[in-house]
Every structure is written in structure tokens, then in C-alpha cells.
Amino acid sequence: MKRIFYLAVISSIMWNCQSPGEGETSTQNADSNLFIMKFNDVHTFSQPEVARITHLEWDANVDFENKMIDAVAKYNIWTSDEASEIFFDTKNDMEILDVLADDAPAKFSIGDEVEHLGRPLRVEVLPSTKTISITYKTNPKAAALQWLSPQQTANKTAPFLFTQSQAILCRSWIPIQDGPGIRFTYNAKVRVPTGLMALMSAKNPQTKSKDGVYSFTMTQPVPAYLMALTVGDVDYKQLGAHTGIYAESSMMEKSANEFAEMEDMLIAAEKLYGKYQWEVYDMIILPPSFPFGGMENPRLTFATPTILAGDRSLTALVAHELAHSWSGNLVTNATWDDFWLNEGFTVYFERRIMESLYGADYAEMLAQLGYQDLQETVEGFLEKNQARDTHLKLDLKDRDPDDGMSDIAYEKGYFMLRLLEKAVGREQWDAFLKDYFQTNAFKVMTTEAFVDHLKTNLLGDMKYDELKLDAWIYGPGLPDNCPTPESNKFTIVEKQISDWQNGTALTELETNNWSSHEWLHFVRYLPVGLTYIQMKQLDETFGFTKSGNSEILAAWFQHTIANNYKPADQVMSDFLVNVGRRKFLTPTYKALLAAGKKDQAIAIYNIARPNYHSVATQTMDELLGVK
Ligand code: BES
Ligand code: ZN
């Protein structure tokens, strides 16, 4: 292998990006001038203004024994008139075996490692070069990939693999131009052990192939962070005309029942903001080590099994990932500094879907829980002197984008959009949003371009200033005009707690017909410093330690840890060992540290760590200081 080292210089040139319009795919040319936007992505080595990928043909073998994918990635590329090189992102010592330009050997070099980013792969091209083929092998440590033993799955009979590419991990399994502003179409051919099904963020099979070979097409251009692959012993079950579930056989019935309302969500979403553009919307229930709640891979959301509560109470997550089919997958944040454009809009859209299906009271409970998260996050950042991380528009230069992504993008973003809705009225706001998704479909969006769009199409300069939107977007904390969600239901919950504090027996509290959100608020709202007797009474009366609802369980652990309530210890440590969802791991390990139980935390982590995806171990290693 040729390996010429040179100093990697990250391009800081602003580039004009023309994204293809509807109907245009791989052959878009840069002069089509459909959409021009200036932005600078500091998290990719690629220089898309010089040369960029437009289409990928991916031919891959998935080797479970060696925890490796060996593959050829053949790209169609667009080149500027002066192009002499094209840059790709790589990571985790992916082995580059061969590079061709227009099917002839090409000169290439791999640059030095840059912290957080990986290494650039530089390939020499001519302005006339049309294709680049890269033959490569992934490293067993490839950060996006988690290779699971049969023991780590539900059926316990076959191995499992899944990828997690967002934010900048696609480069660990495909040498690629890994910036959200660069879109391409793809086809893939993937070979896996027979008996397993392979699925991608593409047109997917519904049955297992006899020979373990699968073909995929994605005819709409997507960015690299939406590249996804999973391989496992899963089946498919159709739920509605456009929706279905993939799950291991032992999880299928529960999953299909939990998500029976998926088609209704899709219909509600289309009614709000326009036609669903990706033909089908399926979801796969992954093993519990999946580090997120959900990931909006186009056509196939990846989801954690921790949302299987048995009572459909955690399906807002489905609404969320579905909403990304518009906010994120159609209109995409140009850089990770603009992440709130993906997540804030999605949380807003998610709550509107939930409101259409279950009513305003229900959606308001979700908003209130989000408001609690937001306040905690803002306070946390301000205390740590990290006010910069409370801005909607982030500055993630020289950082791992994963470190700067917090509830701010989700919830401060949500509340700003809710403020806009309040300011102009729902009718006008909905028309604006629908048009925003339509006009910008398959394009990228920067914060600055959104601000322009907002001023031009909805508010005007004066109203923009009146609403203090610069403070919202470019300033710290929560501006004083933040709408406050009000939920009668939660006021009643709070009253029950104060009644209990004032002597009413737990069995006398009015908790009939409470939804899991009310219970979650109840647990979160419990006072600090409960005695062992009080904890025991709560647990005996309401069965929190036995809760099948992961949100309630995780909130309960905050109290069991702080109050030294040992009867929950085994359940807590089992939870930490089996579940790899970072949203639950971080607060639980933090609570252990805060309670002076570092030894217990480390003892559990030593057992749990091999079960976690790299996204989770990276955060927990740092938190627990075991790097
Ligand atoms: N796209 C995110 C997950 C993500 C964000 C992965 C940043 C990597 C980097 C996904 O849509 C998401 O927000 N998931 C949430 C669920 C949601 C209901 C808030 C999660 O995983 O908890
Ligand atoms: Zn999201």
C-alpha cells in the first residue's frame, strides 16, 4: 500500500453548493444553479468546491468472524475546471488497498491523523475524471460499527451488526466525503452469512435471500451521515400501506403491537407538512446496545428496544424519527453547527404529530417534560462556563461534533419555533413550514439562510427583532420571551406529591388513569433526600423498580442511587449492563459519581463496557475517567 504522509490542511474555503433539485440525481452538474449556499464545514477533509461525489456503487462483504467489512466504493464524481485532487474522509485506520481513477491506477496518499476527524485520503484527478474506485477494509475498531455476539441479541442464536454514522462516523466504514452538505445517490451489493438479512437506508428486502446476497438502491440523494447498514436474523411485518417493522422473531409481536399506529403517524405528518418523499417508512428494532433512542436513516429508522413499554407510551420517538423525513433528511443542516435546524424542527414536528393523534393535552405533557430537560441543560452549561453551548448556532470547530450536541438544539430549538407559531398564528406558521420543506427539499440549510428565509417569507426585520430572535439563535440561555408550557395534568401530579408530604397516605393519592408521562413527572418531581422508609413505601405502592417503562425506571434510579435504596441495585446494574442507550447511561453513571459511589460505577462499567457501542464508551470513558 502506498502511504505518503503530508500535513493535512483543512479547507476553510467557503464553497458554493448546488444541490440537485427534485428529480435530479447523480448526474447533477454544478452549474445547474438550482440552489446556492455558502458554508464552511470544519468536520470534513473533503473540498466539495473542487471535487465531490455524486453517486456511490458499494460492493461489500460482511465478515463477522474478523469483524470487518471489505468493500469497493466506486464513486461518480463532479470536478471543477481546476481540479487536480479529490479528498475523502477516513477513520480508525481503515486499510486502503487500491484506488482507481476512471478504472486506471491513481496516485493517492493518506494524511496524518487529525484529532476528532480521522485521516484524509487524497486522490489525484484531472478535471475530466469521472469515477474513483476505492478498495478497502474496515478496522475491527471502526467506530460506527457494532458487532454483536448472539448473546447480545434477543433471540441469542445469531450475530448482529449495525452502523451508526451520525455525526461523522460514516468515514469509519466507507471512505467518503463525510459532510452533511454533500449529497449522493447510491446502489449497494452486500454479501452476508446465509440466514441473516441485510438492510440499508435504501430500498430494502422483506425476506431473507438464500445465498446471503442483497442489492440496494437509494435513488434520492442523501448525505453520508444517513448511510446505514444492519445485518441480523430479523423478519419483516407490514403494518400499513407504507409502514412496516423489522425485528428479531422473539420481539416481533411486541414490536408490531407497540407501533401499530405508525401508519396513522405518517398520515398525520403528511397532512401537516406535505407528502412523504421516501415511499416507505419502516423501522427496525435493534438489540439494546444501540446507543440512541432512534436514528432517522432514510426509509428505515433504527430504534432501541427500550421504547417497547408495552403500552405505546414511548412512541413519540417514532413520531420524531418520522418527522426527520422532512426536517433533516429533506432539508439538511449544512454543517453540525446548524444541528438545531435538524433537531429543533424535528421536535416541533414530532409534537405536532402527537397532538394530531392524541390531543393537545398529551402533546403539552411532552413539551413540559422537554422544558424540564431544557432548563436543566441550560443551567448545567452556564454553571460550567459553557455558555457557548447554549446558543442554537453552535461553534464546534476543533471539537468532536458529538460533544456539542445537546438538548439545546432539540428543546431551545423547539421553543423558538413554538414562539414563532404563537407570534404569527398556527395557520400562517403551518403554511410557512410546509413551503419551507417543499422549497428546500433535497437541499442544505444554514442557520443564516434560514434567518433570511424567515425574514423574507414570514416576519420581516421588525418582527424578527421584536421576537429577539438573534438572542435566541446567537445568544446564551433562554430569552425571557420563551413560551412556557402549561399542563394541568402535571399540576395535579404535583399536588399529589405535596399531599403525600403533608400526610396523605400513598394509597390515597389520586393517581387513577395516569399516563406514563404523569408517572414520569411524579418520579422526577419527588423531593430529594427521601428516607429509606419513604422509598420503600413508594416502591411497594407503585412498583417503580419493576417498571417496564425505561424512562420511569431511569428517573427512579436517580432517587434510588442518591437515597441509597439498595433493593433497586441489582435491577439498576442489570439495566446498565444490558442497555447501551447513552441518554440513560449518562445520568445514571453521573448519579453514582455524585453519590460518592465511584467504585460501584466502575465495577458495573467493567462488566457493561464490552456491550456498549463506541459512541457510548467514548462518553462513559470520559465521564468515569477510565481512558
Ligand atoms: N438524529 C438523532 C440521533 C443522533 C443525534 C445521533 C446526533 C447522532 C448524533 C435522532 O433523531 C434523535 O434525536 N434521537 C433521540 C430521540 C428523540 C425522541 C429525541 C434519541 O436517540 O434519544
Ligand atoms: Zn432527532
mmCIF file of all heavy atoms in Angstrom, residues 203-224:
data_model
loop_
_atom_site.group_PDB
_atom_site.id
_atom_site.type_symbol
_atom_site.label_atom_id
_atom_site.label_comp_id
_atom_site.label_asym_id
_atom_site.label_seq_id
_atom_site.Cartn_x
_atom_site.Cartn_y
_atom_site.Cartn_z
ATOM 1 N N LYS A 203 -33.907 1.049 -0.555
ATOM 2 C CA LYS A 203 -34.990 0.098 -0.848
ATOM 3 C C LYS A 203 -34.552 -1.260 -0.320
ATOM 4 O O LYS A 203 -33.497 -1.774 -0.701
ATOM 5 C CB LYS A 203 -35.234 0.040 -2.355
ATOM 6 C CG LYS A 203 -36.500 -0.653 -2.756
ATOM 7 C CD LYS A 203 -36.748 -0.361 -4.237
ATOM 8 C CE LYS A 203 -37.903 -1.002 -4.896
ATOM 9 N NZ LYS A 203 -38.995 -1.553 -4.248
ATOM 10 N N ASN A 204 -35.340 -1.822 0.581
ATOM 11 C CA ASN A 204 -34.904 -2.993 1.339
ATOM 12 C C ASN A 204 -35.653 -4.271 0.983
ATOM 13 O O ASN A 204 -36.800 -4.213 0.541
ATOM 14 C CB ASN A 204 -35.100 -2.717 2.836
ATOM 15 C CG ASN A 204 -33.917 -1.994 3.441
ATOM 16 O OD1 ASN A 204 -32.772 -2.384 3.228
ATOM 17 N ND2 ASN A 204 -34.192 -0.934 4.169
ATOM 18 N N PRO A 205 -35.014 -5.423 1.229
ATOM 19 C CA PRO A 205 -35.716 -6.696 1.061
ATOM 20 C C PRO A 205 -36.717 -6.908 2.203
ATOM 21 O O PRO A 205 -36.609 -6.259 3.242
ATOM 22 C CB PRO A 205 -34.592 -7.719 1.181
ATOM 23 C CG PRO A 205 -33.609 -7.065 2.098
ATOM 24 C CD PRO A 205 -33.651 -5.598 1.740
ATOM 25 N N GLN A 206 -37.675 -7.797 1.983
ATOM 26 C CA GLN A 206 -38.609 -8.124 3.066
ATOM 27 C C GLN A 206 -38.482 -9.585 3.492
ATOM 28 O O GLN A 206 -39.117 -10.014 4.452
ATOM 29 C CB GLN A 206 -40.034 -7.792 2.629
ATOM 30 C CG GLN A 206 -40.193 -6.287 2.448
ATOM 31 C CD GLN A 206 -41.571 -5.858 2.026
ATOM 32 O OE1 GLN A 206 -42.381 -6.678 1.596
ATOM 33 N NE2 GLN A 206 -41.844 -4.574 2.127
ATOM 34 N N THR A 207 -37.685 -10.324 2.718
ATOM 35 C CA THR A 207 -37.427 -11.714 3.099
ATOM 36 C C THR A 207 -35.928 -11.974 2.966
ATOM 37 O O THR A 207 -35.224 -11.241 2.270
ATOM 38 C CB THR A 207 -38.158 -12.697 2.150
ATOM 39 O OG1 THR A 207 -37.818 -12.343 0.810
ATOM 40 C CG2 THR A 207 -39.657 -12.642 2.322
ATOM 41 N N LYS A 208 -35.486 -13.045 3.637
ATOM 42 C CA LYS A 208 -34.053 -13.375 3.569
ATOM 43 C C LYS A 208 -33.723 -13.978 2.217
ATOM 44 O O LYS A 208 -34.528 -14.724 1.647
ATOM 45 C CB LYS A 208 -33.706 -14.365 4.670
ATOM 46 C CG LYS A 208 -33.727 -13.714 6.031
ATOM 47 C CD LYS A 208 -33.426 -14.708 7.134
ATOM 48 C CE LYS A 208 -33.705 -14.060 8.470
ATOM 49 N NZ LYS A 208 -34.493 -14.898 9.369
ATOM 50 N N SER A 209 -32.550 -13.663 1.714
ATOM 51 C CA SER A 209 -32.130 -14.273 0.450
ATOM 52 C C SER A 209 -31.463 -15.612 0.765
ATOM 53 O O SER A 209 -30.900 -15.790 1.837
ATOM 54 C CB SER A 209 -31.158 -13.353 -0.291
ATOM 55 O OG SER A 209 -29.866 -13.474 0.266
ATOM 56 N N LYS A 210 -31.559 -16.535 -0.201
ATOM 57 C CA LYS A 210 -30.995 -17.879 0.049
ATOM 58 C C LYS A 210 -29.473 -17.852 0.124
ATOM 59 O O LYS A 210 -28.859 -18.574 0.883
ATOM 60 C CB LYS A 210 -31.436 -18.820 -1.076
ATOM 61 C CG LYS A 210 -32.896 -19.191 -0.980
ATOM 62 C CD LYS A 210 -33.131 -20.615 -1.507
ATOM 63 C CE LYS A 210 -34.536 -21.084 -1.172
ATOM 64 N NZ LYS A 210 -35.574 -20.244 -1.804
ATOM 65 N N ASP A 211 -28.885 -16.995 -0.725
ATOM 66 C CA ASP A 211 -27.419 -17.003 -0.823
ATOM 67 C C ASP A 211 -26.737 -15.913 0.013
ATOM 68 O O ASP A 211 -25.517 -15.761 -0.035
ATOM 69 C CB ASP A 211 -27.002 -16.859 -2.294
ATOM 70 C CG ASP A 211 -27.587 -15.591 -2.918
ATOM 71 O OD1 ASP A 211 -28.292 -14.850 -2.208
ATOM 72 O OD2 ASP A 211 -27.333 -15.353 -4.117
ATOM 73 N N GLY A 212 -27.509 -15.157 0.776
ATOM 74 C CA GLY A 212 -26.895 -14.110 1.609
ATOM 75 C C GLY A 212 -26.440 -12.893 0.820
ATOM 76 O O GLY A 212 -25.700 -12.063 1.341
ATOM 77 N N VAL A 213 -26.896 -12.775 -0.425
ATOM 78 C CA VAL A 213 -26.522 -11.602 -1.219
ATOM 79 C C VAL A 213 -27.738 -10.676 -1.325
ATOM 80 O O VAL A 213 -28.851 -11.133 -1.610
ATOM 81 C CB VAL A 213 -26.064 -12.012 -2.636
ATOM 82 C CG1 VAL A 213 -25.609 -10.784 -3.436
ATOM 83 C CG2 VAL A 213 -24.926 -13.023 -2.544
ATOM 84 N N TYR A 214 -27.503 -9.403 -1.082
ATOM 85 C CA TYR A 214 -28.599 -8.420 -1.116
ATOM 86 C C TYR A 214 -28.206 -7.218 -1.968
ATOM 87 O O TYR A 214 -27.055 -6.796 -1.949
ATOM 88 C CB TYR A 214 -28.932 -7.935 0.300
ATOM 89 C CG TYR A 214 -29.501 -9.023 1.180
ATOM 90 C CD1 TYR A 214 -28.647 -9.840 1.929
ATOM 91 C CD2 TYR A 214 -30.867 -9.250 1.247
ATOM 92 C CE1 TYR A 214 -29.160 -10.848 2.733
ATOM 93 C CE2 TYR A 214 -31.387 -10.261 2.047
ATOM 94 C CZ TYR A 214 -30.532 -11.061 2.785
ATOM 95 O OH TYR A 214 -31.038 -12.059 3.573
ATOM 96 N N SER A 215 -29.199 -6.689 -2.702
ATOM 97 C CA SER A 215 -28.949 -5.490 -3.513
ATOM 98 C C SER A 215 -29.835 -4.356 -3.028
ATOM 99 O O SER A 215 -30.988 -4.579 -2.639
ATOM 100 C CB SER A 215 -29.269 -5.769 -4.978
ATOM 101 O OG SER A 215 -28.372 -6.743 -5.444
ATOM 102 N N PHE A 216 -29.281 -3.171 -3.071
ATOM 103 C CA PHE A 216 -29.993 -1.988 -2.556
ATOM 104 C C PHE A 216 -29.902 -0.833 -3.543
ATOM 105 O O PHE A 216 -28.893 -0.691 -4.232
ATOM 106 C CB PHE A 216 -29.365 -1.533 -1.237
ATOM 107 C CG PHE A 216 -29.345 -2.586 -0.178
ATOM 108 C CD1 PHE A 216 -28.253 -3.452 -0.066
ATOM 109 C CD2 PHE A 216 -30.405 -2.736 0.691
ATOM 110 C CE1 PHE A 216 -28.229 -4.433 0.905
ATOM 111 C CE2 PHE A 216 -30.394 -3.720 1.672
ATOM 112 C CZ PHE A 216 -29.302 -4.577 1.778
ATOM 113 N N THR A 217 -30.945 -0.017 -3.559
ATOM 114 C CA THR A 217 -30.867 1.224 -4.321
ATOM 115 C C THR A 217 -31.418 2.370 -3.482
ATOM 116 O O THR A 217 -32.421 2.225 -2.784
ATOM 117 C CB THR A 217 -31.715 1.162 -5.619
ATOM 118 O OG1 THR A 217 -33.064 0.803 -5.251
ATOM 119 C CG2 THR A 217 -31.183 0.154 -6.599
ATOM 120 N N MET A 218 -30.745 3.492 -3.553
ATOM 121 C CA MET A 218 -31.249 4.730 -2.953
ATOM 122 C C MET A 218 -31.167 5.777 -4.061
ATOM 123 O O MET A 218 -30.081 6.222 -4.424
ATOM 124 C CB MET A 218 -30.406 5.129 -1.738
ATOM 125 C CG MET A 218 -30.725 6.489 -1.135
ATOM 126 S SD MET A 218 -32.466 6.937 -1.017
ATOM 127 C CE MET A 218 -32.942 6.228 0.549
ATOM 128 N N THR A 219 -32.325 6.074 -4.633
ATOM 129 C CA THR A 219 -32.320 6.943 -5.816
ATOM 130 C C THR A 219 -32.433 8.423 -5.457
ATOM 131 O O THR A 219 -32.305 9.279 -6.320
ATOM 132 C CB THR A 219 -33.484 6.575 -6.769
ATOM 133 O OG1 THR A 219 -34.698 6.658 -6.012
ATOM 134 C CG2 THR A 219 -33.320 5.182 -7.325
ATOM 135 N N GLN A 220 -32.709 8.705 -4.175
ATOM 136 C CA GLN A 220 -32.725 10.112 -3.764
ATOM 137 C C GLN A 220 -31.389 10.441 -3.101
ATOM 138 O O GLN A 220 -30.878 9.641 -2.321
ATOM 139 C CB GLN A 220 -33.872 10.357 -2.780
ATOM 140 C CG GLN A 220 -35.220 10.336 -3.461
ATOM 141 C CD GLN A 220 -36.188 9.436 -2.723
ATOM 142 O OE1 GLN A 220 -35.899 8.271 -2.453
ATOM 143 N NE2 GLN A 220 -37.329 9.971 -2.386
ATOM 144 N N PRO A 221 -30.840 11.604 -3.403
ATOM 145 C CA PRO A 221 -29.523 11.927 -2.840
ATOM 146 C C PRO A 221 -29.583 12.150 -1.331
ATOM 147 O O PRO A 221 -30.461 12.857 -0.840
ATOM 148 C CB PRO A 221 -29.127 13.211 -3.572
ATOM 149 C CG PRO A 221 -30.393 13.785 -4.105
ATOM 150 C CD PRO A 221 -31.346 12.659 -4.302
ATOM 151 N N VAL A 222 -28.644 11.500 -0.640
ATOM 152 C CA VAL A 222 -28.574 11.607 0.824
ATOM 153 C C VAL A 222 -27.134 11.946 1.243
ATOM 154 O O VAL A 222 -26.191 11.618 0.535
ATOM 155 C CB VAL A 222 -28.992 10.277 1.504
ATOM 156 C CG1 VAL A 222 -30.467 10.008 1.296
ATOM 157 C CG2 VAL A 222 -28.151 9.104 1.010
ATOM 158 N N PRO A 223 -26.976 12.576 2.398
ATOM 159 C CA PRO A 223 -25.623 12.816 2.919
ATOM 160 C C PRO A 223 -25.069 11.571 3.607
ATOM 161 O O PRO A 223 -25.836 10.668 3.970
ATOM 162 C CB PRO A 223 -25.828 13.941 3.931
ATOM 163 C CG PRO A 223 -27.253 13.830 4.363
ATOM 164 C CD PRO A 223 -28.011 13.235 3.217
ATOM 165 N N ALA A 224 -23.753 11.548 3.833
ATOM 166 C CA ALA A 224 -23.093 10.354 4.383
ATOM 167 C C ALA A 224 -23.605 9.972 5.764
ATOM 168 O O ALA A 224 -23.624 8.787 6.105
ATOM 169 C CB ALA A 224 -21.578 10.590 4.437
#
